[in-house]
Amino acid sequence: MTIDRWLKRISIESPSPMLKQVPTIAGFALALIIMLLPFQPTVADIPSFVTGIVLIAVASVLAAALPWQRIGTEWTLIVPVLSLVAVGFFRLGTGGSASPFGVLILLPFVWIASEEGRLNVLIAALGVFLVLLAPLLLSDQPTSVAEWVRAFFSPLIYLIVAGVINEIAHRVRQQLAAAQGAAEQRKALLDDAVRASDELALNEARLKTANRLIQSIWNAVTEQSVIGTDLDGLIDVWNPGAEKMLGLTSEQVLDGTHHMVDFHLISELEERLRDMDARLTTVSSAEDFSALVDAVRSGYADVRDWTYVRPDGKHVPVQVAATPRLDENGHRVGFIFVATDMTKAREFARLKDEFVGLISHELRTPLSSILGYLELMRDDEDDPLSAEQLQYLGVAERNAHRLLKLVGDLLFTAQVESGRFPLAIKQVELDTVIAASVDTSRPIAANAGVSLVAEVPERPTVIPGDPVRIGQSIDNLVSNAVKFTPAGGTVTVSLRTEPEEAVITVTDTGIGIPAVELGQLSTRFFRASTATRNAVPGVGLGLTITKAIVTAHGGRLDIASEEGVGTSISLHLPLQAAALEMESASIEMRD
């Protein structure tokens, strides 16, 4: 049996009164047996003798019968005190101070002295003193000085012994309490260890399951390249998709020497760095990685089109989503690059543009023919049309012109996407072009209840460019501004000259555009949510065409808008013809 089990059987509280009374009962029983022997002591005082027997019996019955737990353990001292009185009477009945059974006094004395509390020491000593003094006080025989000395000296010794017993019992209780507390603590620790072990085994099983799931997902990602790097760009993660896209296995790449920029087209990195800082004239290889993670270091995910370079020299057009790589404390420890091969998507876009261009070209001829015949019908003097017929003919003409314009826009965007479209470069008076656009849109603005204002300087502003295309871009902006401005609003077209460029700004007090959508406005067929909510007609090509025209002229397009307040779009056109041929030319577009 273990020590813990033994300790569990030992009660820190006092044993039951009956258990403590058993030694006293046994002592009296042994004394009575001795009294029956042939050489037994004589009973000197039968009443005292009988009283002692009765008192010890009463004390034993009380110890066994009373519910001490409900009464209170402090009252159990009644039993040893009563037993001590019984010993005194038994001693008087068997010879008084000469009785051989005086030693029985030790049994209840030890019980009282071992109880918790210093007061019990005095109770035990006082009880012994009364028991030893009683024979001297009740005896009619002469008492010697030695007997009196013994009657007073012995209780003092018993007092000392009671103090020692009480202290030993107190310390034993403390040690038992400490031992039991330690055993309980060990048991609690053991239980915690067992639970922790079970939880650890369960977590290990879950971790293995999660690892298998992650590994399965990781191995299944074969159409996207996932590459992880440290903060300096050294590659330490390489998934099967990267193996398929770039033609190198993870064993070949994860050797601590391959850098992320090794798989990028250097010219693109340099161009990106120059865009980040226009002052850069040369770019060092140490800075190349910043082109990939500059936005991510600022706390944003970055999605861009790049070109991966395989070891065999083949170029792979990709769209890369760069995100921070965080540890368990949320600190950035590297970067993750998820790339999607855009080869098929770009080929599909090219075919789509070719299809749109082909269809647009094929539609222009029959539309032109329709418009021509409509004009002949309207101008036929031999068989003039009625007023109602002319009204119907006007509706048909307007819709045919609208359709022809849409076809022209589609054809133009197809030319833009193909990378080339024609520009007829001349000297352009911007105030004249602006006036023409405003005059064209004024009837539409008047019908919509919108005020159209032109603010141009008195001195003419002349730039090199294609007047038709620039006029087309201004027409698009003014048309959009009028469409998106409710009745009672104002559209302002202004022109100002800066040291190196002319700025044409179209400002309206219309419905505005959500800030999160501003970056998508120049995307083909994109329409702002405010336009769709308000059912404003359009196909989403105007700004795409405008941006292409401005970019072809070496300028830029700036857009500022606030939903519910209005929109301001500025065309920045260079005053000098540094990048333009002063003749009809095909300008290569890179957007």
Side-chain angles (χ1 to χ4, degrees):
M1 187 174 292
T2 63
I3 295 177
D4 287 345
R5 292 181 180 177
W6 277 107
L7 290 173
K8 289 178 182 177
R9 292 191 171 191
I10 300 175
S11 176
I12 301 302
E13 304 297 332
S14 298
S16 67
M18 186 58 199
L19 185 61
K20 292 183 178 181
Q21 183 66 3
V22 168
T24 304
I25 296 172
F28 269 87
L30 183 61
L32 291 176
I33 293 172
I34 293 174
M35 293 288 292
L36 297 175
L37 295 176
F39 52 85
Q40 78 277 14
T42 59
V43 176
D45 185 351
I46 292 178
S48 297
F49 177 80
V50 173
T51 301
I53 296 299
V54 172
L55 288 176
I56 197 65
V58 170
S60 300
V61 170
L62 292 176
L66 292 181
W68 297 105
Q69 293 296 331
R70 285 184 293 173
I71 296 174
T73 55
E74 64 274 9
W75 294 100
T76 58
L77 282 179
I78 294 175
V79 175
V81 170
L82 193 59
S83 298
L84 198 59
V85 174
V87 171
F89 279 103
F90 191 81
R91 185 168 175 267
L92 285 174
T94 55
S97 51
S99 173
F101 303 112
V103 70
L104 290 174
I105 199 172
L106 286 173
L107 298 174
F109 166 78
V110 170
W111 178 352
I112 298 172
S114 62
E115 289 295 315
E116 189 70 25
R118 303 303 182 189
L119 180 61
N120 294 323
V121 174
L122 297 176
I123 294 174
L126 182 61
V128 169
F129 175 71
L130 293 176
V131 170
L132 294 178
L133 187 61
L136 299 179
L137 295 177
L138 299 177
S139 177
D140 52 0
Q141 299 294 328
T143 305
S144 64
V145 175
E147 291 176 330
W148 283 103
V149 170
R150 186 168 60 250
F152 282 93
F153 179 72
S154 295
L156 294 177
I157 298 302
Y158 274 99
L159 177 64
I160 296 172
V161 172
V164 173
I165 292 174
N166 188 270
E167 181 62 25
I168 292 173
H170 175 69
R171 294 190 179 185
V172 168
R173 286 189 184 90
Q174 287 183 327
Q175 291 175 356
L176 286 175
Q180 187 169 352
E184 292 176 353
Q185 186 176 11
R186 284 197 299 272
K187 182 178 180 304
L189 291 174
L190 180 61
D191 292 341
D192 291 342
V194 171
R195 283 195 298 270
S197 177
D198 293 341
E199 290 179 1
L200 180 61
L202 180 60
N203 290 336
E204 286 180 351
R206 290 174 177 172
L207 181 61
K208 289 179 180 178
T209 302
N211 284 338
R212 286 195 296 270
L213 177 60
I214 293 173
Q215 190 63 41
S216 299
I217 296 174
W218 182 256
N219 292 332
V221 181
T222 58
E223 296 306 313
Q224 280 76 36
S225 160
V226 181
I227 302 175
T229 72
D230 62 11
L231 292 173
D232 297 323
L234 285 175
I235 297 174
D236 53 14
V237 174
W238 189 266
N239 84 319
E243 294 184 9
K244 178 181 176 181
M245 185 179 294
L246 294 170
L248 292 177
T249 65
S250 58
E251 290 78 9
Q252 292 174 301
V253 176
L254 302 181
D255 57 0
T257 62
H258 286 78
H259 199 280
M260 190 63 197
V261 299
D262 296 341
F263 300 98
H264 273 266
L265 197 62
I266 298 301
S267 60
E268 289 185 345
L269 296 176
E270 292 176 347
E271 183 179 355
R272 170 62 181 154
L273 286 172
R274 292 191 184 96
D275 290 341
M276 290 162 49
D277 189 348
R279 297 170 297 175
L280 289 175
T281 56
T282 59
V283 179
S284 66
S285 58
E287 296 171 323
D288 289 345
F289 188 57
S290 296
L292 302 177
V293 298
D294 179 66
V296 183
R297 286 171 177 167
S298 301
Y300 304 99
D302 187 41
V303 180
R304 292 183 184 277
D305 289 338
W306 295 100
T307 301
Y308 277 174
V309 181
R310 291 168 52 96
D312 58 8
K314 180 181 177 182
H315 290 184
V316 182
V318 290
Q319 184 179 74
V320 181
T323 56
R325 181 178 171 188
L326 307 178
D327 62 10
E328 62 274 8
N329 298 318
H331 299 144
R332 187 172 67 236
V333 295
F335 304 94
I336 295 292
F337 301 90
V338 181
T340 303
D341 190 339
M342 301 299 292
T343 303
K344 292 182 179 179
R346 292 188 180 181
E347 177 64 16
F348 175 76
R350 185 186 65 80
L351 293 174
K352 182 179 66 174
D353 291 336
E354 288 182 359
F355 175 76
V356 170
L358 177 63
I359 293 299
S360 300
H361 180 75
E362 294 298 325
L363 286 174
R364 292 183 72 177
T365 300
L367 279 173
S368 299
S369 177
I370 291 171
L371 285 170
Y373 278 106
L374 289 174
E375 186 176 358
L376 288 175
M377 291 175 62
R378 185 185 57 195
D379 298 338
D380 189 356
E381 296 179 356
D382 296 333
D383 188 10
L385 301 176
S386 65
E388 185 177 3
Q389 290 173 330
L390 288 173
Q391 181 181 0
Y392 295 154
L393 191 62
V395 173
E397 277 189 313
R398 285 195 299 273
N399 284 283
H401 280 294
R402 181 179 177 186
L403 186 57
L404 184 62
K405 181 180 183 304
L406 178 59
V407 170
D409 288 345
L410 288 172
L411 185 58
F412 183 77
T413 54
Q415 292 173 333
V416 170
E417 292 297 326
S418 68
R420 304 180 67 84
F421 67 90
L423 285 180
I425 305 302
K426 301 177 182 179
Q427 291 292 336
V428 182
E429 292 188 2
L430 293 181
D431 47 345
T432 302
V433 175
I434 292 172
S437 294
V438 170
D439 290 340
T440 301
S441 298
R442 198 177 296 280
I444 301 173
N447 290 335
V450 176
S451 299
L452 186 55
V453 180
E455 297 178 351
V456 295
E458 294 181 0
R459 183 178 179 182
T461 301
V462 180
I463 67 167
D466 186 328
V468 175
R469 294 304 184 190
I470 293 176
Q472 182 182 5
S473 64
I474 298 173
D475 287 343
N476 288 338
L477 295 184
V478 175
S479 174
N480 280 347
V482 171
K483 282 195 301 183
F484 290 106
T485 302
T490 302
V491 173
T492 303
V493 184
S494 63
L495 171 65
R496 72 178 187 273
T497 303
E498 295 185 353
E500 296 182 356
E501 61 186 10
V503 181
I504 303 169
T505 303
V506 179
T507 304
D508 64 60
T509 58
I511 58 179
I513 304 164
V516 295
E517 299 178 0
L518 293 178
Q520 305 177 65
L521 289 180
S522 59
T523 304
R524 279 196 306 168
F525 305 112
F526 176 80
R527 305 198 67 222
S529 58
T530 49
T532 55
R533 278 201 308 269
N534 290 276
V536 178
V539 293
L541 291 175
L543 279 178
T544 304
I545 294 172
T546 299
K547 182 179 179 182
I549 293 171
V550 173
T551 304
H553 283 78
R556 73 179 191 276
L557 186 71
D558 288 345
I559 304 174
S561 184
E562 183 176 351
E563 190 171 359
V565 176
T567 302
S568 178
I569 302 179
S570 298
L571 308 180
H572 295 256
L573 300 171
L575 295 174
Q576 302 298 326
L580 300 175
E581 295 291 340
M582 297 304 296
E583 58 185 1
S584 298
S586 292
I587 306 298
E588 183 176 354
M589 285 297 302
R590 288 188 302 174
D591 186 2

